[in-house]
């Protein structure tokens, strides 16, 4: 069966990558395969998760690159080498320039740990998003999977899932609940959805 080839870009722990790997194993993802995992730093634990599952890995060390252009070109070279159909940002903590995003219209997806358009855009990443939600006092948050364009967290929304905030929440407990109850569910489902539409176009 024809599968869409996915490149997953990561920077840290890689629990969202793990959710994708598990979803491929369980059949929730049936139309895509993870062809390569690319990390923006060499100590990302996500690299171990990929290796443990026999997935090729590459490191494009952002801090060691002379420019944003060189950083992005190195990623483009990998995407071409592996003949990638679409790119998944799974805890990828680097902003991609318009030069990069324009090259792959509706072929890059991102998971963000809030209900966009709340608590998103430049400066809102990782735990900071949950700190902002708690300090604002919202009672419901969640996660969003969206296409990536030139506006940070501004592309078309693919899926969202809401998560209740509890009075006793800390940024850490909230992050964990949003991951477990939203991100790890809607990211694999979105990967399958996008993969199916790409395969349909190829037929
Ligand atoms: C996740 O909560 C993800 O949504 C968030 O960082 C965490 C990475 O965890 N991403 C962003 O904030 C991007 N703006 P992971 O490495 O375990 O998947």
């Amino acid at each position: 069966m024809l599968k869409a080839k996915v490149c997953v870009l990561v920077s840290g722990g890689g629990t969202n990558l793990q959710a994708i790997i598990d979803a491929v194993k369980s059949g929730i993802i049936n139309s895509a395969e993870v062809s390569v995992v690319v990390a923006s730093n060499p100590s990302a634990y996500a690299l171990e998760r990929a290796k443990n599952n026999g997935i090729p890995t590459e490191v494009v060390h952002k801090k060691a690159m002379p420019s944003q252009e060189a950083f992005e070109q190195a990623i483009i070279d990998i995407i071409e080498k592996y003949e990638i159909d679409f790119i998944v940002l799974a805890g990828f903590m680097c902003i991609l320039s318009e030069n990069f995003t324009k090259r792959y219209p509706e072929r890059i997806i991102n998971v963000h740990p809030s209900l966009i358009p709340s608590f998103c855009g430049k400066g809102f990443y990782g735990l900071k998003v949950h700190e902002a939600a708690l300090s604002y006092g919202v009672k419901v948050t969640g996660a969003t999977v969206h296409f990536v364009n030139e506006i940070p967290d501004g592309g078309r929304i693919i899926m969202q899932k809401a998560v209740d905030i509890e009075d006793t929440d800390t940024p850490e407990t909230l992050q964990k609940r949003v991951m477990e109850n939203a991100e790890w569910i809607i990211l694999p489902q979105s990967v399958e959805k996008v993969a199916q539409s790409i395969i349909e176009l190829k037929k």
Side-chain angles (χ1 to χ4, degrees), residues 158-175:
I158 302 166
M159 281 190 187
Q160 289 189 304
K161 196 165 187 294
V163 172
D164 285 340
I165 292 182
E166 292 169 10
D167 291 345
T168 52
D169 266 329
T170 63
E172 289 78 10
T173 62
L174 185 55
Q175 179 181 53

Side-chain angles (χ1 to χ4, degrees), residues 37-73:
V37 170
V38 181
S40 62
N41 80 78
S43 58
Y45 183 70
L47 289 167
E48 304 309 315
R49 296 181 189 272
K51 284 175 194 154
N52 291 341
N53 287 279
I55 300 167
T57 59
E58 305 263 359
V59 176
V60 181
H61 196 188
K62 172 109 199 300
K63 284 194 179 147
M65 284 286 163
S67 63
Q68 177 75 15
E69 204 182 348
F71 172 65
E72 292 179 354
Q73 188 56 52

Side-chain angles (χ1 to χ4, degrees), residues 10-18 46 49 89-93 110-114 121 124-127 129-130 143-144 146 153 175 178-179 183-184 187:
V10 295
S11 298
T15 64
N16 279 291
L17 168 67
Q18 190 67 53
R49 296 181 189 272
L89 310 186
F92 187 63
M93 300 305 182
N110 178 48
V111 60
H112 182 78
S114 75
F124 286 101
Y125 57 87
L127 218 47
V129 178
H130 304 292
T144 304
H146 63 93
D153 298 322
Q175 179 181 53
V178 168
M179 283 177 158
E183 296 185 48
W184 301 344
L187 182 61

Side-chain angles (χ1 to χ4, degrees), residues 58-201:
E58 305 263 359
V59 176
V60 181
H61 196 188
K62 172 109 199 300
K63 284 194 179 147
M65 284 286 163
S67 63
Q68 177 75 15
E69 204 182 348
F71 172 65
E72 292 179 354
Q73 188 56 52
I75 298 173
I76 292 167
D77 290 347
I78 294 166
I79 288 163
E80 284 173 5
K81 177 175 156 195
Y82 287 89
E83 299 178 329
I84 293 304
D85 291 304
F86 73 103
I87 302 156
V88 178
L89 310 186
F92 187 63
M93 300 305 182
C94 311
I95 298 234
L96 294 164
S97 77
E98 187 169 356
N99 188 34
F100 186 95
T101 58
K102 276 225 164 110
R103 203 179 244 269
Y104 306 108
E106 304 231 318
R107 288 292 180 275
I108 312 172
I109 73 172
N110 178 48
V111 60
H112 182 78
S114 75
L115 293 175
I116 290 174
S118 289
F119 314 117
C120 64
K122 209 163 181 278
F124 286 101
Y125 57 87
L127 218 47
K128 287 178 191 287
V129 178
H130 304 292
E131 285 165 1
L134 288 177
S135 91
Y136 199 98
V138 293
K139 302 301 174 205
V140 178
T141 185
T144 304
V145 179
H146 63 93
F147 286 112
V148 174
N149 64 9
E150 67 284 2
I151 303 157
D153 298 322
R156 187 160 69 85
I157 290 172
I158 302 166
M159 281 190 187
Q160 289 189 304
K161 196 165 187 294
V163 172
D164 285 340
I165 292 182
E166 292 169 10
D167 291 345
T168 52
D169 266 329
T170 63
E172 289 78 10
T173 62
L174 185 55
Q175 179 181 53
K176 185 167 178 280
R177 188 155 3 87
V178 168
M179 283 177 158
E180 286 173 355
N181 295 352
E183 296 185 48
W184 301 344
I185 298 166
I186 62 170
L187 182 61
Q189 287 176 348
S190 300
V191 167
E192 175 62 16
K193 193 172 175 196
V194 172
Q196 280 179 8
S197 68
I198 288 174
I199 288 171
E200 220 29 64
L201 286 175

